[in-house]
Amino acid sequence: MFYDLNVLYTAKHVELQRTLAFLAELGYNGVALSHTINSKLPADLTSPIPSPIPFSAPKGLRILTRCTLHLSDPSQNHRLSSLAANYTLLAIRPTSEKTLQQACLSLSPIDLVSLDCSIRYPFYFRQKTLCAAVERGVRIEICYGAGILGTGEQRRNLISNATQLVRATRGRGVVISSEAGRALACRGPWDVVNMAAGWGLGNERGVEALGREARGVVIAAEMRKSSYRGVVDVVFGGEKPQAEKEGNDKGKGKGKVLQDGKRKAEDDGLEKEAEKPLSKTQMRKRAKKAKMEKAEANHTEAGEGVEGSPQAQADGLKDQG
């Protein structure tokens, strides 16, 4: 699956429809329509991109929304959470080294750090700063659209900046997008991979920049909005359904119903408690009591036997005479 996470949104729906259709023919599966904010955040943060879009999108093409905020003041970040809630993706475009460090190290919640590669920056891209952004889940975006339709100077700046970014990030955590405003600035996925090879990005890393890395940005953004502290969803909490609970309460204390419709007799719901083991003293008392009962029984039987013998009966008759 290939994604283009930066397609400029325009109110000219005919041109936008043509661009989306061309991207679908090139083999892209997902496209993010981007709205750019160049100044301070407005009072109304509602997305101007209609959802769903007012025309028929190509079949199989997923349409996302994105906001690209140009950050020139480090204090311009107190409403980013409200802004991110209105878009699928939130990208920050820093214009100075200080805002780049802030975006890579501490700014949240953001999904992409998008650098305008068509201009020349008065500073170098530091490996420690960019790798810190990649480690915390923020991806570095390279946009090639301005270098294709722009001037010769813009093409030189694109090659120079992209080479520095690939060197600083070692090719990890890089996302490549078009930033196309019309279909003429779009390129196919494999053409982009060949273009990135000229920047020092290997073919495998180039395919990941359009596929796995871009898809990971979308999934992470959706997970952040639908989950809470790492919990995505509770599938089963172990509780019983309400109907089953009511059925158990009604049938409590009664016999079980067998398959043939008969009820099996049971006790009143109370199980016999297991007898506690006897102590040695109790065992001796019971043994002594049983011995005494046995001795009394033997003595009684012996007395009855003597009284009933013939000699005893004869002695009794003599005494009577």
Side-chain angles (χ1 to χ4, degrees):
M1 298 181 68
F2 296 109
Y3 286 80
D4 189 345
L5 298 184
N6 193 357
V7 175
L8 299 179
Y9 172 76
T10 174
K12 299 179 181 179
H13 293 161
V14 176
E15 182 66 29
L16 182 60
Q17 187 176 9
R18 186 182 298 112
T19 303
L20 295 180
F22 185 59
L23 287 170
E25 291 180 3
L26 291 176
Y28 289 94
N29 305 101
V31 170
L33 300 179
S34 177
H35 170 63
T36 303
I37 300 178
N38 295 316
S39 58
K40 294 183 178 180
L41 291 178
D44 186 12
L45 300 179
T46 306
S47 172
I49 304 173
S51 180
I53 53 179
F55 53 85
S56 59
K59 186 177 181 181
L61 185 65
R62 187 180 179 188
I63 306 298
L64 309 171
T65 59
R66 158 182 167 159
C67 179
T68 304
L69 176 64
H70 286 245
L71 188 65
S72 57
D73 186 4
S75 63
Q76 189 185 351
N77 58 3
H78 61 284
R79 298 173 62 194
L80 287 182
S81 299
S82 302
L83 181 64
N86 296 314
Y87 298 88
T88 308
L89 302 175
L90 177 60
I92 296 297
R93 175 156 289 182
T95 57
S96 62
E97 185 176 9
K98 189 173 183 180
T99 54
L100 176 61
Q101 291 179 354
Q102 183 187 24
C104 293
L105 300 177
S106 61
L107 209 58
S108 179
I110 62 174
D111 303 298
L112 293 167
V113 174
S114 178
L115 295 167
D116 187 2
C117 294
S118 63
I119 63 175
R120 184 175 181 178
Y121 289 96
F123 56 88
Y124 290 100
F125 302 124
R126 301 182 181 276
Q127 178 183 353
K128 185 177 180 181
T129 303
L130 297 178
C131 288
V134 175
E135 288 179 359
R136 72 186 191 98
V138 179
R139 296 296 179 254
I140 309 300
E141 184 183 47
I142 300 175
C143 299
Y144 62 84
I148 291 178
L149 299 181
T151 61
E153 183 180 359
Q154 289 178 329
R155 294 191 185 97
R156 287 193 297 270
N157 292 334
L158 171 64
I159 296 173
S160 176
N161 291 328
T163 304
Q164 289 188 47
L165 288 174
V166 171
R167 174 192 54 80
T169 60
R170 297 178 181 177
R172 292 175 294 184
V174 174
V175 174
I176 302 178
S177 304
S178 65
E179 198 175 9
R182 50 180 177 160
L184 190 60
C186 300
R187 291 295 182 269
W190 300 110
D191 293 335
V192 176
V193 172
N194 293 331
M195 185 191 308
W199 307 335
L201 192 65
N203 291 337
E204 294 183 0
R205 295 290 187 184
V207 174
E208 291 179 358
L210 294 171
R212 191 181 69 177
E213 294 290 350
R215 183 172 180 268
V217 171
V218 177
I219 293 177
E222 293 176 345
M223 291 276 288
R224 185 180 66 245
K225 294 180 180 180
S226 61
S227 63
Y228 177 72
R229 292 186 179 180
V231 178
V232 179
D233 191 11
V234 178
V235 179
F236 178 66
E239 65 278 358
K240 293 183 178 180
Q242 189 65 24
E244 184 179 350
K245 288 183 179 180
E246 294 176 356
N248 293 340
D249 294 340
K250 292 180 180 178
K252 190 175 182 180
K254 298 181 180 180
K256 294 181 179 178
V257 180
L258 302 180
Q259 294 181 357
D260 55 357
K262 297 182 180 180
R263 291 183 178 276
K264 182 179 178 181
E266 287 184 349
D267 296 335
D268 296 333
L270 301 176
E271 298 181 355
K272 294 182 180 180
E273 297 181 357
E275 295 183 358
K276 297 181 180 180
L278 300 176
S279 62
K280 293 183 179 181
T281 305
Q282 291 176 340
M283 292 175 65
R284 286 197 297 267
K285 288 183 179 180
R286 288 196 175 188
K288 185 177 180 181
K289 184 177 179 181
K291 188 175 181 181
M292 292 177 62
E293 291 178 352
K294 185 176 181 181
E296 290 179 359
N298 293 338
H299 181 71
T300 304
E301 291 178 359
E304 291 178 353
V306 173
E307 291 178 356
S309 63
Q311 184 64 30
Q313 293 178 0
D315 293 340
L317 293 174
K318 287 180 181 181
D319 292 339
Q320 291 178 1

mmCIF file of all heavy atoms in Angstrom, residues 103-147:
data_model
loop_
_atom_site.group_PDB
_atom_site.id
_atom_site.type_symbol
_atom_site.label_atom_id
_atom_site.label_comp_id
_atom_site.label_asym_id
_atom_site.label_seq_id
_atom_site.Cartn_x
_atom_site.Cartn_y
_atom_site.Cartn_z
ATOM 1 N N ALA A 103 10.012 21.271 17.642
ATOM 2 C CA ALA A 103 9.114 20.311 17.012
ATOM 3 C C ALA A 103 9.623 18.881 17.154
ATOM 4 O O ALA A 103 8.838 17.946 17.332
ATOM 5 C CB ALA A 103 8.937 20.665 15.535
ATOM 6 N N CYS A 104 10.924 18.691 17.083
ATOM 7 C CA CYS A 104 11.480 17.341 17.155
ATOM 8 C C CYS A 104 11.566 16.810 18.583
ATOM 9 O O CYS A 104 11.426 15.596 18.797
ATOM 10 C CB CYS A 104 12.876 17.318 16.524
ATOM 11 S SG CYS A 104 12.883 17.597 14.737
ATOM 12 N N LEU A 105 11.778 17.679 19.551
ATOM 13 C CA LEU A 105 12.062 17.220 20.906
ATOM 14 C C LEU A 105 10.853 17.228 21.824
ATOM 15 O O LEU A 105 10.698 16.308 22.645
ATOM 16 C CB LEU A 105 13.177 18.076 21.523
ATOM 17 C CG LEU A 105 14.524 18.062 20.794
ATOM 18 C CD1 LEU A 105 15.500 19.003 21.474
ATOM 19 C CD2 LEU A 105 15.081 16.650 20.750
ATOM 20 N N SER A 106 9.983 18.210 21.729
ATOM 21 C CA SER A 106 8.962 18.344 22.764
ATOM 22 C C SER A 106 7.555 18.644 22.271
ATOM 23 O O SER A 106 6.607 18.497 23.052
ATOM 24 C CB SER A 106 9.371 19.454 23.750
ATOM 25 O OG SER A 106 9.480 20.700 23.079
ATOM 26 N N LEU A 107 7.392 19.062 21.041
ATOM 27 C CA LEU A 107 6.067 19.500 20.596
ATOM 28 C C LEU A 107 5.136 18.305 20.441
ATOM 29 O O LEU A 107 5.510 17.285 19.843
ATOM 30 C CB LEU A 107 6.184 20.251 19.279
ATOM 31 C CG LEU A 107 5.126 21.329 19.001
ATOM 32 C CD1 LEU A 107 5.128 22.368 20.093
ATOM 33 C CD2 LEU A 107 5.395 21.979 17.657
ATOM 34 N N SER A 108 3.923 18.447 20.964
ATOM 35 C CA SER A 108 2.952 17.348 20.913
ATOM 36 C C SER A 108 1.542 17.930 21.005
ATOM 37 O O SER A 108 1.325 18.961 21.657
ATOM 38 C CB SER A 108 3.211 16.392 22.091
ATOM 39 O OG SER A 108 2.291 15.341 22.085
ATOM 40 N N PRO A 109 0.540 17.316 20.353
ATOM 41 C CA PRO A 109 0.623 16.093 19.535
ATOM 42 C C PRO A 109 0.803 16.432 18.061
ATOM 43 O O PRO A 109 -0.005 17.135 17.472
ATOM 44 C CB PRO A 109 -0.727 15.453 19.763
ATOM 45 C CG PRO A 109 -1.667 16.620 19.981
ATOM 46 C CD PRO A 109 -0.861 17.729 20.591
ATOM 47 N N ILE A 110 1.861 15.929 17.457
ATOM 48 C CA ILE A 110 2.105 16.115 16.027
ATOM 49 C C ILE A 110 2.459 14.759 15.423
ATOM 50 O O ILE A 110 2.880 13.838 16.142
ATOM 51 C CB ILE A 110 3.224 17.145 15.764
ATOM 52 C CG1 ILE A 110 4.550 16.662 16.361
ATOM 53 C CG2 ILE A 110 2.854 18.506 16.305
ATOM 54 C CD1 ILE A 110 5.733 17.541 16.019
ATOM 55 N N ASP A 111 2.274 14.645 14.109
ATOM 56 C CA ASP A 111 2.560 13.393 13.410
ATOM 57 C C ASP A 111 3.750 13.509 12.473
ATOM 58 O O ASP A 111 4.464 12.523 12.271
ATOM 59 C CB ASP A 111 1.323 12.964 12.604
ATOM 60 C CG ASP A 111 0.084 12.819 13.476
ATOM 61 O OD1 ASP A 111 0.119 11.970 14.376
ATOM 62 O OD2 ASP A 111 -0.886 13.565 13.264
ATOM 63 N N LEU A 112 3.962 14.688 11.898
ATOM 64 C CA LEU A 112 5.019 14.869 10.910
ATOM 65 C C LEU A 112 5.757 16.184 11.154
ATOM 66 O O LEU A 112 5.150 17.171 11.590
ATOM 67 C CB LEU A 112 4.443 14.882 9.489
ATOM 68 C CG LEU A 112 3.831 13.582 8.951
ATOM 69 C CD1 LEU A 112 3.030 13.883 7.686
ATOM 70 C CD2 LEU A 112 4.904 12.555 8.674
ATOM 71 N N VAL A 113 7.040 16.168 10.864
ATOM 72 C CA VAL A 113 7.837 17.394 10.757
ATOM 73 C C VAL A 113 8.160 17.545 9.279
ATOM 74 O O VAL A 113 8.987 16.816 8.724
ATOM 75 C CB VAL A 113 9.111 17.321 11.608
ATOM 76 C CG1 VAL A 113 9.978 18.545 11.354
ATOM 77 C CG2 VAL A 113 8.759 17.240 13.087
ATOM 78 N N SER A 114 7.470 18.473 8.632
ATOM 79 C CA SER A 114 7.578 18.646 7.185
ATOM 80 C C SER A 114 8.449 19.858 6.896
ATOM 81 O O SER A 114 8.125 20.987 7.272
ATOM 82 C CB SER A 114 6.180 18.842 6.574
ATOM 83 O OG SER A 114 6.265 19.050 5.188
ATOM 84 N N LEU A 115 9.556 19.627 6.226
ATOM 85 C CA LEU A 115 10.492 20.701 5.881
ATOM 86 C C LEU A 115 10.316 21.093 4.424
ATOM 87 O O LEU A 115 10.174 20.234 3.547
ATOM 88 C CB LEU A 115 11.927 20.242 6.137
ATOM 89 C CG LEU A 115 12.271 19.972 7.600
ATOM 90 C CD1 LEU A 115 13.582 19.224 7.710
ATOM 91 C CD2 LEU A 115 12.342 21.277 8.383
ATOM 92 N N ASP A 116 10.323 22.392 4.187
ATOM 93 C CA ASP A 116 10.233 22.907 2.825
ATOM 94 C C ASP A 116 11.616 22.786 2.179
ATOM 95 O O ASP A 116 12.514 23.593 2.422
ATOM 96 C CB ASP A 116 9.772 24.370 2.848
ATOM 97 C CG ASP A 116 9.506 24.910 1.450
ATOM 98 O OD1 ASP A 116 9.645 24.130 0.472
ATOM 99 O OD2 ASP A 116 9.168 26.102 1.324
ATOM 100 N N CYS A 117 11.767 21.742 1.363
ATOM 101 C CA CYS A 117 13.081 21.447 0.796
ATOM 102 C C CYS A 117 13.418 22.304 -0.417
ATOM 103 O O CYS A 117 14.503 22.140 -0.994
ATOM 104 C CB CYS A 117 13.156 19.962 0.414
ATOM 105 S SG CYS A 117 13.074 18.846 1.823
ATOM 106 N N SER A 118 12.506 23.192 -0.810
ATOM 107 C CA SER A 118 12.780 24.029 -1.984
ATOM 108 C C SER A 118 13.518 25.312 -1.625
ATOM 109 O O SER A 118 13.870 26.092 -2.510
ATOM 110 C CB SER A 118 11.480 24.381 -2.702
ATOM 111 O OG SER A 118 10.634 25.150 -1.860
ATOM 112 N N ILE A 119 13.754 25.555 -0.349
ATOM 113 C CA ILE A 119 14.476 26.748 0.071
ATOM 114 C C ILE A 119 15.783 26.328 0.741
ATOM 115 O O ILE A 119 15.974 25.164 1.111
ATOM 116 C CB ILE A 119 13.636 27.606 1.051
ATOM 117 C CG1 ILE A 119 13.354 26.823 2.333
ATOM 118 C CG2 ILE A 119 12.349 28.065 0.395
ATOM 119 C CD1 ILE A 119 12.644 27.623 3.407
ATOM 120 N N ARG A 120 16.675 27.296 0.893
ATOM 121 C CA ARG A 120 17.967 27.030 1.523
ATOM 122 C C ARG A 120 17.919 27.489 2.979
ATOM 123 O O ARG A 120 17.575 28.643 3.263
ATOM 124 C CB ARG A 120 19.085 27.766 0.783
ATOM 125 C CG ARG A 120 20.459 27.454 1.323
ATOM 126 C CD ARG A 120 21.538 28.106 0.479
ATOM 127 N NE ARG A 120 22.864 27.795 0.988
ATOM 128 C CZ ARG A 120 23.984 28.209 0.425
ATOM 129 N NH1 ARG A 120 23.928 28.991 -0.663
ATOM 130 N NH2 ARG A 120 25.159 27.881 0.947
ATOM 131 N N TYR A 121 18.281 26.585 3.881
ATOM 132 C CA TYR A 121 18.240 26.892 5.308
ATOM 133 C C TYR A 121 19.610 27.387 5.775
ATOM 134 O O TYR A 121 20.648 26.885 5.316
ATOM 135 C CB TYR A 121 17.854 25.645 6.109
ATOM 136 C CG TYR A 121 16.417 25.245 5.921
ATOM 137 C CD1 TYR A 121 16.059 24.277 4.984
ATOM 138 C CD2 TYR A 121 15.399 25.820 6.673
ATOM 139 C CE1 TYR A 121 14.738 23.903 4.803
ATOM 140 C CE2 TYR A 121 14.074 25.453 6.504
ATOM 141 C CZ TYR A 121 13.752 24.492 5.567
ATOM 142 O OH TYR A 121 12.445 24.126 5.389
ATOM 143 N N PRO A 122 19.614 28.347 6.697
ATOM 144 C CA PRO A 122 20.898 28.889 7.184
ATOM 145 C C PRO A 122 21.517 28.029 8.289
ATOM 146 O O PRO A 122 22.393 28.506 9.013
ATOM 147 C CB PRO A 122 20.499 30.263 7.718
ATOM 148 C CG PRO A 122 19.087 30.093 8.168
ATOM 149 C CD PRO A 122 18.466 29.099 7.220
ATOM 150 N N PHE A 123 21.083 26.800 8.450
ATOM 151 C CA PHE A 123 21.622 25.919 9.499
ATOM 152 C C PHE A 123 21.664 24.494 8.946
ATOM 153 O O PHE A 123 21.028 24.168 7.932
ATOM 154 C CB PHE A 123 20.761 25.990 10.769
ATOM 155 C CG PHE A 123 19.314 25.660 10.550
ATOM 156 C CD1 PHE A 123 18.839 24.344 10.625
ATOM 157 C CD2 PHE A 123 18.388 26.662 10.238
ATOM 158 C CE1 PHE A 123 17.520 24.039 10.405
ATOM 159 C CE2 PHE A 123 17.052 26.355 10.023
ATOM 160 C CZ PHE A 123 16.617 25.053 10.104
ATOM 161 N N TYR A 124 22.415 23.641 9.658
ATOM 162 C CA TYR A 124 22.523 22.239 9.274
ATOM 163 C C TYR A 124 21.499 21.405 10.054
ATOM 164 O O TYR A 124 21.116 21.765 11.174
ATOM 165 C CB TYR A 124 23.938 21.712 9.550
ATOM 166 C CG TYR A 124 24.993 22.283 8.616
ATOM 167 C CD1 TYR A 124 25.822 23.322 9.035
ATOM 168 C CD2 TYR A 124 25.147 21.796 7.328
ATOM 169 C CE1 TYR A 124 26.775 23.853 8.196
ATOM 170 C CE2 TYR A 124 26.109 22.322 6.479
ATOM 171 C CZ TYR A 124 26.909 23.346 6.915
ATOM 172 O OH TYR A 124 27.851 23.886 6.062
ATOM 173 N N PHE A 125 21.097 20.308 9.454
ATOM 174 C CA PHE A 125 20.193 19.384 10.128
ATOM 175 C C PHE A 125 21.025 18.439 11.001
ATOM 176 O O PHE A 125 21.831 17.658 10.488
ATOM 177 C CB PHE A 125 19.388 18.582 9.097
ATOM 178 C CG PHE A 125 18.576 19.433 8.174
ATOM 179 C CD1 PHE A 125 18.720 19.329 6.801
ATOM 180 C CD2 PHE A 125 17.674 20.364 8.674
ATOM 181 C CE1 PHE A 125 17.974 20.114 5.944
ATOM 182 C CE2 PHE A 125 16.930 21.159 7.826
ATOM 183 C CZ PHE A 125 17.079 21.037 6.460
ATOM 184 N N ARG A 126 20.807 18.536 12.297
ATOM 185 C CA ARG A 126 21.600 17.750 13.242
ATOM 186 C C ARG A 126 20.993 16.359 13.416
ATOM 187 O O ARG A 126 19.781 16.198 13.534
ATOM 188 C CB ARG A 126 21.689 18.464 14.591
ATOM 189 C CG ARG A 126 22.322 19.844 14.503
ATOM 190 C CD ARG A 126 22.435 20.482 15.862
ATOM 191 N NE ARG A 126 23.017 21.823 15.768
ATOM 192 C CZ ARG A 126 24.315 22.079 15.717
ATOM 193 N NH1 ARG A 126 25.178 21.064 15.754
ATOM 194 N NH2 ARG A 126 24.773 23.309 15.631
ATOM 195 N N GLN A 127 21.886 15.387 13.458
ATOM 196 C CA GLN A 127 21.446 13.998 13.579
ATOM 197 C C GLN A 127 20.747 13.752 14.916
ATOM 198 O O GLN A 127 19.727 13.061 14.979
ATOM 199 C CB GLN A 127 22.653 13.063 13.437
ATOM 200 C CG GLN A 127 22.298 11.582 13.605
ATOM 201 C CD GLN A 127 23.514 10.695 13.529
ATOM 202 O OE1 GLN A 127 24.611 11.165 13.214
ATOM 203 N NE2 GLN A 127 23.342 9.420 13.800
ATOM 204 N N LYS A 128 21.266 14.307 16.001
ATOM 205 C CA LYS A 128 20.691 14.082 17.323
ATOM 206 C C LYS A 128 19.263 14.607 17.395
ATOM 207 O O LYS A 128 18.375 13.964 17.975
ATOM 208 C CB LYS A 128 21.567 14.765 18.381
ATOM 209 C CG LYS A 128 21.118 14.492 19.796
ATOM 210 C CD LYS A 128 22.087 15.137 20.789
ATOM 211 C CE LYS A 128 21.646 14.855 22.225
ATOM 212 N NZ LYS A 128 22.564 15.488 23.215
ATOM 213 N N THR A 129 19.011 15.754 16.795
ATOM 214 C CA THR A 129 17.675 16.353 16.842
ATOM 215 C C THR A 129 16.670 15.533 16.047
ATOM 216 O O THR A 129 15.570 15.218 16.524
ATOM 217 C CB THR A 129 17.728 17.788 16.297
ATOM 218 O OG1 THR A 129 18.669 18.548 17.052
ATOM 219 C CG2 THR A 129 16.368 18.443 16.402
ATOM 220 N N LEU A 130 17.022 15.151 14.820
ATOM 221 C CA LEU A 130 16.096 14.413 13.968
ATOM 222 C C LEU A 130 15.864 12.990 14.470
ATOM 223 O O LEU A 130 14.739 12.478 14.411
ATOM 224 C CB LEU A 130 16.623 14.395 12.533
ATOM 225 C CG LEU A 130 16.747 15.773 11.855
ATOM 226 C CD1 LEU A 130 17.320 15.625 10.453
ATOM 227 C CD2 LEU A 130 15.387 16.463 11.793
ATOM 228 N N CYS A 131 16.905 12.361 14.976
ATOM 229 C CA CYS A 131 16.740 10.996 15.509
ATOM 230 C C CYS A 131 15.879 10.995 16.768
ATOM 231 O O CYS A 131 15.163 10.018 17.031
ATOM 232 C CB CYS A 131 18.101 10.379 15.798
ATOM 233 S SG CYS A 131 19.020 9.946 14.305
ATOM 234 N N ALA A 132 15.927 12.069 17.555
ATOM 235 C CA ALA A 132 15.060 12.157 18.730
ATOM 236 C C ALA A 132 13.592 12.209 18.325
ATOM 237 O O ALA A 132 12.727 11.628 18.990
ATOM 238 C CB ALA A 132 15.427 13.387 19.556
ATOM 239 N N ALA A 133 13.305 12.903 17.222
ATOM 240 C CA ALA A 133 11.925 12.937 16.728
ATOM 241 C C ALA A 133 11.476 11.558 16.251
ATOM 242 O O ALA A 133 10.341 11.131 16.518
ATOM 243 C CB ALA A 133 11.809 13.957 15.596
ATOM 244 N N VAL A 134 12.347 10.839 15.560
ATOM 245 C CA VAL A 134 11.990 9.506 15.062
ATOM 246 C C VAL A 134 11.759 8.543 16.221
ATOM 247 O O VAL A 134 10.840 7.709 16.194
ATOM 248 C CB VAL A 134 13.089 8.983 14.117
ATOM 249 C CG1 VAL A 134 12.796 7.552 13.691
ATOM 250 C CG2 VAL A 134 13.199 9.883 12.901
ATOM 251 N N GLU A 135 12.558 8.656 17.265
ATOM 252 C CA GLU A 135 12.413 7.758 18.413
ATOM 253 C C GLU A 135 11.096 7.963 19.148
ATOM 254 O O GLU A 135 10.537 7.018 19.696
ATOM 255 C CB GLU A 135 13.583 7.955 19.375
ATOM 256 C CG GLU A 135 14.900 7.407 18.851
ATOM 257 C CD GLU A 135 16.041 7.644 19.814
ATOM 258 O OE1 GLU A 135 15.789 8.255 20.888
ATOM 259 O OE2 GLU A 135 17.177 7.232 19.505
ATOM 260 N N ARG A 136 10.578 9.173 19.158
ATOM 261 C CA ARG A 136 9.311 9.401 19.853
ATOM 262 C C ARG A 136 8.093 9.307 18.934
ATOM 263 O O ARG A 136 6.992 9.685 19.311
ATOM 264 C CB ARG A 136 9.323 10.744 20.588
ATOM 265 C CG ARG A 136 9.239 11.977 19.729
ATOM 266 C CD ARG A 136 9.414 13.229 20.571
ATOM 267 N NE ARG A 136 9.091 14.444 19.832
ATOM 268 C CZ ARG A 136 7.924 15.064 19.908
ATOM 269 N NH1 ARG A 136 6.974 14.599 20.676
ATOM 270 N NH2 ARG A 136 7.705 16.175 19.229
ATOM 271 N N GLY A 137 8.299 8.780 17.718
ATOM 272 C CA GLY A 137 7.183 8.471 16.838
ATOM 273 C C GLY A 137 6.839 9.527 15.817
ATOM 274 O O GLY A 137 5.862 9.359 15.083
ATOM 275 N N VAL A 138 7.590 10.601 15.729
ATOM 276 C CA VAL A 138 7.342 11.664 14.749
ATOM 277 C C VAL A 138 8.202 11.396 13.522
ATOM 278 O O VAL A 138 9.410 11.143 13.638
ATOM 279 C CB VAL A 138 7.651 13.049 15.345
ATOM 280 C CG1 VAL A 138 7.418 14.137 14.321
ATOM 281 C CG2 VAL A 138 6.794 13.289 16.578
ATOM 282 N N ARG A 139 7.612 11.444 12.341
ATOM 283 C CA ARG A 139 8.323 11.154 11.109
ATOM 284 C C ARG A 139 8.746 12.447 10.390
ATOM 285 O O ARG A 139 8.085 13.478 10.521
ATOM 286 C CB ARG A 139 7.447 10.314 10.171
ATOM 287 C CG ARG A 139 7.125 8.941 10.754
ATOM 288 C CD ARG A 139 8.382 8.122 10.911
ATOM 289 N NE ARG A 139 8.148 6.802 11.475
ATOM 290 C CZ ARG A 139 8.446 6.454 12.715
ATOM 291 N NH1 ARG A 139 8.969 7.360 13.531
ATOM 292 N NH2 ARG A 139 8.240 5.223 13.149
ATOM 293 N N ILE A 140 9.849 12.347 9.639
ATOM 294 C CA ILE A 140 10.399 13.473 8.892
ATOM 295 C C ILE A 140 9.905 13.372 7.456
ATOM 296 O O ILE A 140 10.096 12.333 6.800
ATOM 297 C CB ILE A 140 11.930 13.478 8.943
ATOM 298 C CG1 ILE A 140 12.426 13.353 10.400
ATOM 299 C CG2 ILE A 140 12.476 14.733 8.299
ATOM 300 C CD1 ILE A 140 11.962 14.461 11.314
ATOM 301 N N GLU A 141 9.278 14.430 6.949
ATOM 302 C CA GLU A 141 8.680 14.398 5.621
ATOM 303 C C GLU A 141 9.529 15.202 4.630
ATOM 304 O O GLU A 141 9.963 16.321 4.927
ATOM 305 C CB GLU A 141 7.261 14.962 5.659
ATOM 306 C CG GLU A 141 6.541 14.877 4.322
ATOM 307 C CD GLU A 141 5.160 15.502 4.374
ATOM 308 O OE1 GLU A 141 5.051 16.636 4.909
ATOM 309 O OE2 GLU A 141 4.208 14.868 3.898
ATOM 310 N N ILE A 142 9.729 14.612 3.449
ATOM 311 C CA ILE A 142 10.402 15.271 2.325
ATOM 312 C C ILE A 142 9.379 15.411 1.203
ATOM 313 O O ILE A 142 8.794 14.417 0.760
ATOM 314 C CB ILE A 142 11.615 14.467 1.839
ATOM 315 C CG1 ILE A 142 12.628 14.301 2.968
ATOM 316 C CG2 ILE A 142 12.265 15.140 0.638
ATOM 317 C CD1 ILE A 142 13.819 13.413 2.599
ATOM 318 N N CYS A 143 9.152 16.637 0.732
ATOM 319 C CA CYS A 143 8.184 16.911 -0.340
ATOM 320 C C CYS A 143 8.949 17.276 -1.607
ATOM 321 O O CYS A 143 9.813 18.163 -1.594
ATOM 322 C CB CYS A 143 7.237 18.047 0.063
ATOM 323 S SG CYS A 143 6.252 17.669 1.538
ATOM 324 N N TYR A 144 8.616 16.581 -2.712
ATOM 325 C CA TYR A 144 9.361 16.752 -3.957
ATOM 326 C C TYR A 144 8.623 17.588 -5.003
ATOM 327 O O TYR A 144 9.179 17.886 -6.071
ATOM 328 C CB TYR A 144 9.680 15.388 -4.563
ATOM 329 C CG TYR A 144 8.461 14.572 -4.933
ATOM 330 C CD1 TYR A 144 7.801 14.749 -6.149
ATOM 331 C CD2 TYR A 144 7.955 13.618 -4.060
ATOM 332 C CE1 TYR A 144 6.684 13.998 -6.488
ATOM 333 C CE2 TYR A 144 6.844 12.861 -4.389
ATOM 334 C CZ TYR A 144 6.201 13.056 -5.603
ATOM 335 O OH TYR A 144 5.089 12.325 -5.913
ATOM 336 N N GLY A 145 7.373 17.999 -4.740
ATOM 337 C CA GLY A 145 6.570 18.677 -5.759
ATOM 338 C C GLY A 145 7.163 19.988 -6.234
ATOM 339 O O GLY A 145 7.196 20.283 -7.440
ATOM 340 N N ALA A 146 7.694 20.799 -5.306
ATOM 341 C CA ALA A 146 8.248 22.101 -5.685
ATOM 342 C C ALA A 146 9.502 21.953 -6.522
ATOM 343 O O ALA A 146 9.810 22.808 -7.364
ATOM 344 C CB ALA A 146 8.546 22.918 -4.430
ATOM 345 N N GLY A 147 10.242 20.859 -6.334
ATOM 346 C CA GLY A 147 11.447 20.654 -7.118
ATOM 347 C C GLY A 147 11.167 20.203 -8.534
ATOM 348 O O GLY A 147 12.018 20.358 -9.416
#
